[in-house]
Amino acid sequence: MSLIPFPAPSARAALVALGLGSTALVPLGALPGIAQAQSQARSIQIPAGPLGPALTSLGRQAGVQLSFAPTATAGRMTAGFSGTASVESALAAILAGTGLSYQIGPNNVIVVTAPLGEEIAAATGGLYLGSVVIYGDRSAATLEDSRASVAIVSGQPVDAPPVQTRTQSFTRMANVQAGDWTTSGFVIRGVNSEGFVPGGAGAPLASFYLDGVQQTTEGTRLGQRGMFDVEQVEVYRGPQSTMSGRAALAGALYMRSVRPDFTRSGAVQVTVGTNGRRQIGVAFGDRLSESLAYRISAEYSEVQSDLDFSSYQHLARYDDFVTGDYSTVRGQVLWQPFDNEGTEVLVTLSRSTDSPTSNDIAGPGWSSTAPGYDARRGDIWGAILPDYCRGLGLTELPAFQELREGEVFNFGVEITHDITDALRFTSMTGLSRSVTDRGSINLGTPGAFLYTDGQFTYVTGSQEFRLNYDDGDLRWVAGLYASRLHNESWRESMLLSFDQSETAMDLENYALFGEIGYRFAPAWTIIAGGRFDWIRQSETSHYAVNGVATTTSTSSYADAVFLPSLALQYEVSPNHTISFGYQQGYRPGGSGVRSSDGFQFTYDQETAHNLEFTWRGRLLNDRLRIGASLFHQDWRNQQVEVVTDPTHPVPRSTSIIVNAGRSTSYGAELEMAWAVNDSLDLVGSLSLLHTRFDDFVLGTWGIDYSGLPFPNAPERTLSLGFRWQGDSGWHAAGAINHASSSMSRLEQGVPIPVTLDGYTTVDAEIGYTFRDGPTLTAYATNLFDTEYFTYEAGPGVLATLGARREVGLRLDYRF
């Protein structure tokens, strides 16, 4: 990229109009000009990430005065730069793919600007879709360099189309869905992150990382929900073993917050909508010194349930039950030591709370007094109590209606250090603690004598050390991972008897993982990797009835495994890369205690063998970005929780985990982003999926599921979205989301679960950005109020409603 003369007065007027003129320039310190510095080669280390902090760091490292407007860099990412080069070469590399250019202004100040005029547009190929920086792939810094099947959704309101929650981001991704219940995991390629073993009974199939910190199972269910001040969400589909912390058989989810910036910046968001929707978010960051910056953010949101819970109104916790709220408070400190430009330390501390409302409604088969789905009655253990309960003389049984309230604390320290231009060291230390209260809605109600109460307390501590090397022809990553999980739970219920149960589980996991890629011929790279995993698990269980202990047992399990991977990558052209690879996935086995009688059981490891073909391409002068994947997975020894005695007064107490045969899944994913022109962006995703239980017989239930598809695994999903930004300040955005029919979850005594109908929803918004910065937007999610179920028992007994229509106004202001 060549230097462009400073703009003429007319062009400068355009710069001012865009917030890039002299009145909006952001100096980075009274440092020497570029006249002598620009031709001198020097060591420059700029990590991949947000463009604003990268330019700030470049100005400090190179000793030049560099100016830009925060509005120009907002939402833009850079692949970074590492090496010895002149300022001009380093700046060109940092700006590559961002759509921005630079100019030399008066007094040798470097001015970073947005492209203006036909000459600059021609030099940049018209429009650019900037490089997408990714955080979950340990071997690549940008999407273009990754061979993983990864879906990415930005958390910034200027992207097309915006999303407000983590689960809403899944609707924009291929082969990714939210779980069927409010407090359940997420689904990747038809497999729930918790597998067929819910909660803490076993290791999850997919991992969730928030700002690099590994989350607990309950932290995934009831943790960070909102997208305010979130940079992006990444979902990696398929086994993640040779390049990540914990081995994840189904995939991994990464959520990254907006990082501290060395320029003053902030954001405010206020939302009001139907059903009492109220949301507010505030974020602010600044530099504390030349090497220290911070950012703090907070968000709170609440909404009132639109379902009918009228017969619960007299219960003590009714108001909490019908109000769905969540909150997040987060603080981050970024330290870039001035005397060691290749070192960066990021410390994150956050606290989240989450208490979603129930979306379960009774169908006509629930009881003789249930009016049917159209009435949207959610008080299923109130006035429309099942007939068998009425036969016991009960008029209500709210002890069976749980209210779950979760609290999650996260602490993370990420350290990166560039040992050489080609070798980087990373340390990620994480601690996550989640506490979930699960008492019944009638706790504290005067006169209530039948109740349930309980709590999950899960703690996960993890440490990862990693080395990344890249000199062009040779690229490798090597890592050491260690973690410890400590899960405790207790529950007491006053029903037919006073039952008390306590469990404690400890899980240690140590692993060595790595991958090496070598370009053995022009355009050809071979990649091989592996992971050695060792786990040790112990569990203690206590069960008592009316104060008399019936079970006090312990069990333990240990295992070691090696997981290989192999791939071949071919660079068809500078803008097109294809790869074909094999990856083995793994979920450790374990042991447990059946609380009803103290029976000790063990279950074997679960594995998957994944074959994957990927294509990554950029077309139309870099205005169109496409990613596609074809995959085939062979699952063996799937872990399934089964109830061995459905007639027991507390059926769940007779649960054990067994291994259930083999399964197959295969399909395809296609995702694209297209900058049509300087006003219109289009995004889209398409997925195809076929799943089948090849050999799945549950003798304890007498049911053969062989031949059936996985639950909650639609064969097709489609999402098409757009964002239009006019010159006058108006903007519009929208998305159409479709999912085909799927089978509901597996349950005891149900040989063929209900088939859930497919559905299509539409999200839309229109807004205006005022000259002083704020943007006012009118939005609607599920615009046509399409009714769909994510779960159904029966048919016609009980169903879980999907998200209903919400209409509101949102005010955004960023600086």
Side-chain angles (χ1 to χ4, degrees):
M1 181 183 298
S2 60
L3 295 177
I4 300 173
F6 197 69
S10 59
R12 187 178 303 184
L15 287 174
V16 173
L18 290 172
L20 294 172
S22 59
T23 58
L25 295 180
V26 183
L28 302 183
L31 301 173
I34 194 176
Q36 297 178 350
Q38 72 175 53
S39 61
Q40 297 177 356
R42 66 192 65 229
S43 175
I44 297 176
Q45 309 294 330
I46 306 296
L51 180 58
L55 293 175
T56 302
S57 181
L58 174 64
R60 185 173 63 248
Q61 292 185 34
V64 298
Q65 189 169 349
L66 191 152
S67 297
F68 64 92
T71 54
T73 60
R76 285 184 164 93
M77 310 298 293
T78 177
F81 178 82
S82 177
T84 300
S86 66
V87 176
E88 180 181 349
S89 297
L91 181 57
I94 292 169
L95 294 179
T98 66
L100 302 184
S101 57
Y102 61 91
Q103 306 161 6
I104 304 300
N107 300 320
N108 290 322
V109 176
I110 301 180
V111 182
V112 177
T113 67
L116 290 172
E118 295 181 358
E119 293 182 359
I120 301 178
T124 59
L127 294 170
Y128 259 103
L129 282 174
S131 297
V132 178
V133 175
I134 56 178
Y135 300 100
D137 190 334
R138 267 53 169 183
S139 68
T142 65
L143 181 62
E144 289 76 13
D145 294 332
S146 175
R147 62 180 178 84
S149 176
V150 54
I152 301 174
V153 171
S154 171
Q156 301 304 300
V158 297
D159 288 298
V163 294
Q164 298 302 307
T165 64
R166 170 167 43 113
T167 53
Q168 190 183 8
S169 73
F170 298 154
T171 65
R172 311 288 196 256
M173 301 177 178
N175 269 333
V176 182
Q177 293 88 37
D180 54 351
W181 290 345
T182 304
T183 54
S184 61
F186 52 95
V187 180
I188 301 177
R189 292 178 173 174
V191 178
N192 192 286
S193 60
E194 299 177 9
F196 302 114
V197 180
L205 278 178
S207 300
F208 174 32
Y209 296 89
L210 178 60
D211 290 321
V213 179
Q214 180 180 321
Q215 301 298 287
T216 68
T217 302
E218 286 298 314
T220 301
R221 291 176 165 186
L222 298 173
Q224 170 84 36
R225 197 197 319 178
M227 291 286 286
F228 174 74
D229 212 42
V230 169
E231 185 177 310
Q232 66 189 33
V233 175
E234 305 171 15
V235 175
Y236 292 78
R237 294 166 292 224
Q240 307 293 311
S241 301
T242 61
M243 292 185 297
S244 63
R246 195 184 67 83
L249 190 148
L253 165 64
Y254 291 82
M255 199 168 182
R256 189 80 174 191
S257 306
V258 175
R259 285 160 51 100
D261 196 336
F262 282 89
T263 58
R264 179 173 297 180
S265 62
V268 176
Q269 185 178 84
V270 178
T271 306
V272 294
T274 52
N275 296 320
R277 166 67 70 191
R278 301 290 186 271
Q279 180 263 355
I280 184 170
V282 179
F284 181 79
D286 201 354
R287 64 194 306 169
L288 293 172
S289 68
E290 291 292 322
S291 60
L292 201 62
Y294 72 95
R295 189 173 185 89
I296 55 175
S297 63
E299 181 185 17
Y300 174 78
S301 178
E302 71 173 35
V303 67
Q304 302 299 310
S305 176
D306 60 345
L307 304 184
D308 185 353
F309 297 104
S310 54
S311 64
Y312 286 166
Q313 292 184 21
H314 65 289
L315 302 176
R317 307 178 73 193
Y318 171 78
D319 289 339
D320 292 336
F321 185 79
V322 299
T323 302
D325 55 8
Y326 68 84
S327 68
T328 296
V329 178
R330 178 173 51 249
Q332 293 182 305
V333 175
L334 175 64
W335 180 38
Q336 296 177 341
F338 189 78
D339 59 346
N340 195 338
E341 298 162 350
T343 301
E344 183 176 276
V345 180
L346 179 65
V347 180
T348 303
L349 181 64
S350 68
R351 173 185 179 270
S352 298
T353 64
D354 193 5
S355 179
T357 58
S358 171
N359 289 317
D360 296 338
I361 57 174
W366 178 253
S367 71
S368 59
T369 57
Y373 287 137
D374 290 342
R376 295 192 174 183
R377 291 293 296 270
D379 49 348
I380 56 179
W381 299 106
I384 56 174
L385 193 68
D387 294 343
Y388 68 85
C389 294
R390 292 187 179 278
L392 298 175
L394 300 172
T395 58
E396 64 175 9
L397 191 55
F400 281 175
Q401 186 72 73
E402 273 192 353
L403 169 59
R404 295 203 176 191
E405 298 174 309
E407 184 177 44
V408 182
F409 295 91
N410 289 305
F411 174 73
V413 179
E414 183 179 19
I415 303 172
T416 58
H417 174 65
D418 292 326
I419 300 173
T420 68
D421 293 346
L423 183 62
R424 169 171 290 188
F425 167 78
T426 301
S427 168
M428 182 68 222
T429 306
L431 178 65
S432 182
R433 181 178 186 269
S434 62
V435 179
T436 301
D437 294 321
R438 51 179 304 202
S440 57
I441 189 176
N442 64 333
L443 277 178
T445 302
F449 64 94
L450 301 179
Y451 70 90
T452 60
D453 196 7
Q455 187 179 83
F456 299 113
T457 302
Y458 293 174
V459 179
T460 296
S462 61
Q463 175 65 60
E464 181 179 330
F465 297 112
R466 190 174 70 252
L467 288 172
N468 286 79
Y469 181 84
D470 186 357
D471 71 353
D473 290 336
L474 178 65
R475 173 188 293 182
W476 55 262
V477 56
L480 171 65
Y481 168 79
S483 71
R484 177 164 185 177
L485 284 68
H486 178 73
N487 296 348
E488 292 182 355
S489 65
W490 63 268
R491 183 172 176 83
E492 61 183 33
S493 60
M494 176 60 77
L495 296 169
L496 299 177
S497 58
F498 181 60
D499 297 339
Q500 296 172 293
S501 64
E502 296 179 0
T503 61
M505 189 268 284
D506 289 285
L507 177 66
E508 294 179 65
N509 184 195
Y510 302 96
L512 292 170
F513 62 89
E515 187 174 275
I516 184 170
Y518 177 66
R519 183 176 298 174
F520 62 91
W524 287 95
T525 302
I526 187 169
I527 304 163
R531 177 188 184 93
F532 180 78
D533 219 47
W534 180 84
I535 70 153
R536 181 173 61 190
Q537 175 188 321
S538 62
E539 182 173 353
T540 302
S541 177
H542 174 79
Y543 191 74
V545 178
N546 294 325
V548 179
T550 61
T551 300
T552 300
S553 302
T554 60
S555 63
S556 62
Y557 177 87
D559 195 15
V561 66
F562 177 75
L563 306 173
S565 71
L566 184 66
L568 187 65
Q569 183 171 292
Y570 177 63
E571 186 176 316
V572 181
S573 71
N575 288 333
H576 297 274
T577 303
I578 60 175
S579 65
F580 179 76
Y582 165 79
Q583 172 75 65
Q584 182 175 333
Y586 161 80
R587 185 189 201 186
S591 62
V593 176
R594 185 165 59 191
S595 60
S596 60
D597 58 6
F599 170 74
Q600 297 184 15
F601 60 90
T602 61
Y603 49 95
D604 295 331
Q605 60 181 266
E606 178 178 351
T607 61
H609 300 266
N610 185 66
L611 293 173
E612 189 132 5
F613 173 84
T614 61
W615 165 52
R616 197 90 63 202
R618 297 174 74 94
L619 304 167
L620 303 178
N621 293 325
D622 281 351
R623 299 200 313 270
L624 175 62
R625 181 173 57 237
I626 295 179
S629 300
L630 300 173
F631 67 91
H632 183 282
Q633 283 188 275
D634 179 24
W635 301 77
R636 301 177 185 178
N637 290 329
Q638 287 176 299
Q639 298 168 10
V640 183
E641 181 186 51
V642 298
V643 174
T644 57
D645 183 7
T647 65
H648 191 276
V650 186
R652 184 67 184 273
S653 69
T654 70
S655 306
I656 64 172
I657 298 173
V658 300
N659 295 97
R662 299 181 60 168
S663 302
T664 302
S665 63
Y666 58 85
E669 293 123 6
L670 175 67
E671 285 159 328
M672 72 91 180
W674 182 19
V676 180
N677 53 46
D678 58 358
S679 299
L680 180 63
D681 292 327
L682 299 180
V683 295
S685 68
L686 170 67
S687 70
L688 302 175
L689 179 65
H690 176 83
T691 61
R692 173 187 169 90
F693 291 116
D694 298 320
D695 178 16
F696 191 173
V697 179
L698 294 181
T700 55
W701 293 355
I703 297 176
D704 185 355
Y705 286 116
S706 301
L708 291 181
F710 295 175
N712 305 112
E715 292 187 347
R716 297 175 305 279
T717 65
L718 173 67
S719 178
L720 294 173
F722 80 96
R723 181 178 176 88
W724 170 82
Q725 179 69 61
D727 295 335
S728 61
W730 287 96
H731 80 269
I736 299 175
N737 311 297
H738 170 76
S740 65
S741 61
S742 62
M743 190 181 73
S744 190
R745 69 166 52 199
L746 307 179
E747 296 183 296
Q748 64 182 50
V750 182
I752 302 180
V754 174
T755 296
L756 305 172
D757 292 337
Y759 59 90
T760 301
T761 62
V762 176
D763 302 332
E765 70 174 44
I766 185 171
Y768 182 78
T769 301
F770 296 89
R771 288 190 177 184
D772 56 354
T775 298
L776 183 64
T777 303
Y779 72 91
T781 57
N782 194 357
L783 177 63
F784 301 107
D785 203 19
T786 301
E787 181 177 280
Y788 62 96
F789 296 157
T790 60
Y791 159 83
E792 185 178 10
V797 176
L798 185 71
T800 301
L801 268 176
R804 279 78 73 196
R805 175 170 56 200
E806 180 177 302
V807 179
L809 290 174
R810 184 176 65 249
L811 179 68
D812 286 285
Y813 178 62
R814 293 176 180 267
F815 59 92

